[in-house]
Amino acid sequence: MNLQVLSFPFRSVAVLPRESKMAQQVELNALNLQQLEMLKNQLDQETEMFAGSLQSLKAAQQKFVESQQNLDTLTPSNQGKEILVPLTSSMYVPGHLSDVKSVMVDIGTGYYVEKTTEEAKAYFKRKIEFCTQQMEKIQPLLQDRASKKQAVIDVMRDKMIQMQMMQMQQAGQPTRA
């Protein structure tokens, strides 16, 4: 059974089968070690997914910030100046800045749109704000999954200690608290 974590008060967790829309509250202590391990693995996957999304958003945001900052160099005093035009990340050709009033903006999937520098600045501002909003949504989810994972690990550790103590008692050895 594939479980999806929803909410997490203290030592219980709301889970539901992926196909279901109804959540159930489950006490972590009621789960066996195998179920706890499955839940921990799922939380690991979700944590990795959220961390990857956060990293991608930060990279995109940085790209938009750099693009917005580079627009500030397009001033009338720079028109006609010699520049290096990148052909690849490590190869450039000389060129001249002929137009400082408009730029071609990559809007994704290989499409470019001509915009004035002011329109381009507004576009990058919107993109930066969008990335920031998405990161603000993901960050609490990432923290939530990390705290849930820690709670599952704590319960797993407690159960393993209990099992060891029971085995020692059954073997007739004195127990340590």
Side-chain angles (χ1 to χ4, degrees):
M1 180 170 164
N2 218 352
L3 302 176
Q4 181 177 4
V5 177
L6 292 181
S7 64
F8 199 81
F10 305 108
R11 290 215 169 219
S12 64
V13 64
V15 295
L16 69 128
R18 291 200 187 270
E19 309 81 39
S20 173
K21 298 213 187 260
M22 298 296 294
Q24 296 175 331
Q25 196 73 13
V26 176
E27 289 294 324
L28 289 178
N29 287 327
L31 300 175
N32 64 36
L33 280 175
Q34 183 181 6
Q35 291 168 323
L36 288 168
E37 184 66 30
M38 288 172 44
L39 185 56
K40 182 181 133 335
N41 289 341
Q42 181 179 341
L43 290 167
D44 281 339
Q45 290 174 354
E46 290 178 8
T47 301
E48 288 175 21
M49 179 194 63
F50 288 134
S53 296
L54 200 56
Q55 186 175 6
S56 296
L57 283 166
K58 283 180 183 178
Q61 184 185 45
Q62 184 59 37
K63 182 182 92 168
F64 295 134
V65 167
E66 289 173 4
S67 295
Q68 188 180 44
Q69 290 171 343
N70 285 334
L71 286 171
D72 293 333
T73 63
L74 293 179
T75 61
S77 64
N78 286 333
Q79 188 162 346
K81 286 190 177 180
E82 191 170 307
I83 61 170
L84 291 176
V85 179
L87 293 179
T88 68
S89 62
S90 61
M91 186 169 52
Y92 301 85
V93 294
H96 293 290
L97 190 56
S98 62
D99 184 5
V100 294
K101 293 180 181 157
S102 66
V103 293
M104 297 297 289
V105 177
D106 180 357
I107 59 169
T109 63
Y111 289 97
Y112 294 85
V113 175
E114 185 173 356
K115 293 184 176 285
T116 66
T117 54
E118 292 308 311
E119 291 170 337
K121 285 179 185 180
Y123 171 81
F124 291 125
K125 181 181 179 192
R126 285 191 311 274
K127 290 303 223 176
I128 292 166
E129 289 170 355
F130 176 78
C131 288
T132 301
Q133 290 169 354
Q134 295 307 305
M135 288 187 297
E136 288 171 353
K137 289 178 184 176
I138 291 174
Q139 189 65 40
L141 295 172
L142 181 60
Q143 291 170 345
D144 177 62
R145 294 314 188 269
S147 66
K148 288 177 184 178
K149 179 182 161 190
Q150 187 58 51
V152 169
I153 290 170
D154 291 345
V155 171
M156 289 174 73
R157 185 190 67 241
D158 293 346
K159 283 188 176 270
M160 292 195 319
I161 290 170
Q162 287 174 348
M163 286 174 57
Q164 287 174 347
M165 290 179 73
M166 284 176 41
Q167 288 172 351
M168 288 170 57
Q169 284 177 347
Q170 288 174 354
Q173 296 177 355
T175 59
R176 293 184 288 169

